[in-house]
Amino acid sequence: MKGELLNERALVMAPEDTVATALADLDAGERLDDADPSVTVAEEVPFGHKVALADLDVGETVRKYGEVIGEATEPIAAGEWVHTHNCESTRGRGDRAAAATGDGAAAADGDAGHAGDGR
Amino acid sequence: MDTFEGYRRPDGRIGVRNHVAVLPTSVAASPVADRIAGDAGRWARATPHQMGTSQPEEGRERTRSVLAGIGRNPNVGAALVVELGTEDIDADDLADDIAASGKPVETLTVREVGGTAGALDAGADILVDLWDEIGDQRREEADASELVFAVECGGSDATSGIAANPALGDASDRLVDAGGAVCISETPEFIGAEHVAAERCADEETREKLLDRVERRERLADLMGVDMRGAQPSPGNQEGGLTTIEEKSLGALAKCGTRDIRHVVDYGEAIPVGGGVTVMDSPGYDVESVVGKVAGGAQVVAFTTGRGSTTGNPIAPVIKVTGNHRTAERLASNMDVDASAVIDGEPLGEVGERIYRTLLSVADGAETAAEARRLEEFAINERQPRELAAEGQR
């Protein structure tokens, strides 16, 4: 596996990443001493989800795989769970384009499914 | 040298299965096609789909070309085209397209043989005749370079990007190094990782084509005024820990390995044999995406899933790979390769080698979990009016 293990419990994919992926259900209070600087998990982080390795301000980029995966929408402290509640994509945001042009009609039909067809 | 045993077709291509395909030209002929194949035997495979008897021109052309591609796929030894008789796709034309590859093809018109009852009887007779023509064909040795390997992911979670996709990517590299072809699709899942893919393109033309297709998919979301996050990552992906499309894309791209991207083709278009890595412009819906690649000639599919997809395909065997140890246990009867050991420290190359060996053995005839359970989902991507409108605004 590529990346660096933190106490066998989480995985950092690249040195410049600001999040690690939980390889088990992490509990609040758990320490990831292998991180530099070390991090105390602040809340439950489920298997496969991300924990912050650094403090992030609103608008700051979140990095995984050594790449930008989105930006913080709330202040995030090291050790906190990073997910859709505090991190969002900067891409494919037709809703923002619609809001900027005042074109609410297109947004109102809500057919996001075809744009992404996600599974 | 890496070899397998397959069925040599008249056009020189090599199949890994010897199916008689039963291809309906519309939804109206689909139940009959399904019944005819179901009553015949395991060698007969139907491709029932949802498209109507009369479609707008662009939609009709896509349906027709996908069905022709499926019929020409080397896993198909012979084909029967079934129509109700009112379709604007002409069964004889479609049959001619398929027969151009040299294989026996017949047609059946439900309205001309006494309705569905007559069609079931006539269809059964035709299938037996077609099987008589190809059923005794023996496998012969073929080189790995003759394989077109489709890579797909569905029901992804965080383990997909960490374990299953990189392991499949390692297997993809092995096949490309052996001279074979790998095809990745699902353009929406390049968004946020297109710069990484662009760096891998062999030449400027391929790079521009790839970036154009990715931009078009993203612009579609903008034109429709929607937040792509409604579907990408999907609610299931999000439950599995994926937060943004960028994160999903970076993980998804890993499954086509690290070798040069040499071609970009459209949905269902022929994938060059021996062409290294090809990107097919397709939607992110996995069943339609797999069908596009099989229409393009892929003989074997590898499908990674973290959350546990069970889907298969009627024409090409689908190898299921998971990087999630919980899914490997819970869905053991649907999985072919457990790549979760990557997370426990098994070297990526060892799991990649295991997937590559599985690919060769499946090409040799080994049955996949999806084949054993006859999971044969088939759907054709429909060209939506808004998609066409978006193209008009290019």
Side-chain angles (χ1 to χ4, degrees):
Chain A
M1 184 166 53
K2 286 178 189 159
E4 189 195 345
L5 280 173
L6 303 180
N7 299 74
E8 308 270 303
R9 302 279 285 168
L11 177 72
V12 192
M13 298 301 290
E16 59 268 48
D17 287 359
T18 53
V19 292
T21 303
L23 296 182
D25 294 328
L26 303 182
D27 294 321
E30 235 185 89
R31 288 185 62 81
L32 300 173
D33 288 318
D34 292 346
D36 180 27
S38 73
V39 167
T40 302
V41 178
E43 57 195 314
E44 284 182 20
V45 178
F47 173 79
H49 287 241
K50 293 173 290 301
V51 58
L53 296 174
D55 296 337
L56 296 169
D57 287 332
V58 173
E60 220 175 316
T61 56
V62 177
R63 301 186 81 91
K64 180 181 174 183
Y65 298 108
E67 303 286 342
V68 174
I69 63 160
E71 62 184 33
T73 54
E74 284 179 30
I76 301 172
E80 286 183 352
W81 175 40
V82 177
H83 199 32
T84 49
H85 60 291
N86 58 10
C87 171
E88 70 177 24
S89 173
T90 60
R91 302 290 302 277
R93 295 302 304 274
D95 58 332
R96 287 182 177 171
T101 59
D103 178 14
D109 81 358
D111 183 13
H114 181 63
D117 278 326
R119 290 263 290 204
Chain B
M1 189 169 293
D2 298 324
T3 60
F4 67 100
E5 307 245 306
Y7 300 94
R8 183 71 59 191
R9 301 301 177 198
D11 63 357
R13 299 192 66 170
I14 192 101
V16 304
R17 296 293 182 268
N18 198 27
H19 297 315
V20 176
V22 185
L23 310 168
T25 62
S26 72
V27 65
S30 286
V32 175
D34 203 26
R35 276 281 298 279
I36 292 172
D39 292 347
R42 287 183 74 95
W43 44 266
R45 301 292 167 110
T47 62
H49 61 87
Q50 77 281 27
M51 298 308 172
T53 52
S54 63
Q55 297 181 66
E57 189 184 340
E58 295 89 349
R60 179 177 70 237
E61 183 44 35
R62 167 162 293 177
T63 303
R64 208 193 65 82
S65 68
V66 167
L67 291 171
I70 293 290
R72 284 194 302 260
N73 185 291
N75 292 352
V76 172
L80 169 62
V81 177
V82 182
E83 64 174 0
L84 175 62
T86 62
E87 288 91 344
D88 54 16
I89 292 176
D90 185 66
D92 288 328
D93 277 355
L94 178 57
D96 286 347
D97 259 14
I98 298 168
S101 61
K103 58 186 73 167
V105 186
E106 296 291 339
T107 61
L108 178 65
T109 305
V110 174
R111 295 210 307 183
E112 286 176 7
V113 291
T116 53
L120 294 180
D121 289 343
D125 291 344
I126 295 170
L127 280 205
V128 168
D129 288 345
L130 289 172
W131 183 241
D132 279 348
E133 287 194 58
I134 66 157
D136 62 352
Q137 191 176 342
R138 291 287 164 263
R139 286 180 182 265
E140 60 181 76
E141 190 171 274
D143 193 85
S145 64
E146 298 186 74
L147 284 172
V148 178
F149 187 31
V151 294
E152 181 66 44
C153 57
S156 298
D157 68 7
T159 66
S160 302
I162 292 171
N165 289 340
L168 176 54
D170 184 274
S172 297
D173 283 351
R174 288 167 197 269
L175 181 64
V176 170
D177 293 347
V182 167
C183 182
I184 185 172
S185 55
E186 299 188 290
T187 318
E189 294 174 22
F190 281 73
I191 295 173
E194 68 267 62
H195 58 296
V196 180
E199 278 170 23
R200 284 181 48 192
C201 289
D203 54 57
E204 187 57 24
E205 192 188 338
T206 309
R207 199 180 78 88
E208 277 174 18
K209 200 169 175 186
L210 175 72
L211 290 174
D212 173 70
R213 300 308 159 92
V214 177
E215 196 209 335
R216 187 163 67 88
R217 295 277 170 183
E218 187 170 11
R219 200 168 52 229
L220 203 56
D222 286 348
L223 276 174
M224 285 156 59
V226 298
D227 176 0
M228 208 154 197
R229 293 173 307 165
Q232 291 287 12
S234 71
N237 294 153
Q238 292 183 16
E239 218 176 292
L242 296 177
T243 304
T244 64
I245 180 64
E246 295 94 314
E247 183 184 15
K248 183 173 173 177
S249 295
L250 289 160
L253 187 63
K255 66 186 180 286
C256 72
T258 61
R259 302 299 183 249
D260 284 358
I261 295 171
R262 298 197 167 275
H263 311 278
V264 176
V265 298
D266 289 325
Y267 182 79
E269 198 184 335
I271 303 160
V273 177
V277 180
T278 294
V279 173
M280 179 178 285
D281 183 24
S282 90
Y285 170 28
D286 47 21
V287 173
E288 292 180 352
S289 172
V290 166
V291 165
K293 286 178 282 196
V294 175
Q299 305 108 316
V300 185
V301 182
F303 189 124
T304 64
T305 180
R307 313 237 338 134
S309 158
T310 60
T311 189
N313 179 273
I315 304 301
V318 177
I319 300 166
K320 280 302 198 355
V321 181
T322 186
N324 185 322
H325 61 92
R326 296 175 198 183
T327 298
E329 285 170 20
R330 287 178 190 154
L331 285 170
S333 66
N334 292 105
M335 296 298 133
D336 297 287
V337 180
D338 179 4
S340 68
V342 169
I343 291 173
D344 303 324
E346 185 177 357
L348 208 54
E350 283 180 23
V351 183
E353 171 75 15
R354 222 158 66 221
I355 297 171
Y356 181 60
R357 290 295 146 198
T358 303
L359 161 64
L360 290 173
S361 73
V362 166
D364 255 338
E367 198 173 47
T368 65
E371 285 183 291
R373 282 157 192 78
R374 299 224 57 171
L375 300 166
E376 298 171 3
E377 288 89 340
F378 190 89
I380 298 170
N381 176 245
E382 184 171 12
R383 304 201 70 185
Q384 302 282 350
R386 280 185 295 187
E387 183 185 337
L388 296 167
E391 281 188 353
Q393 295 188 29
R394 289 174 79 175

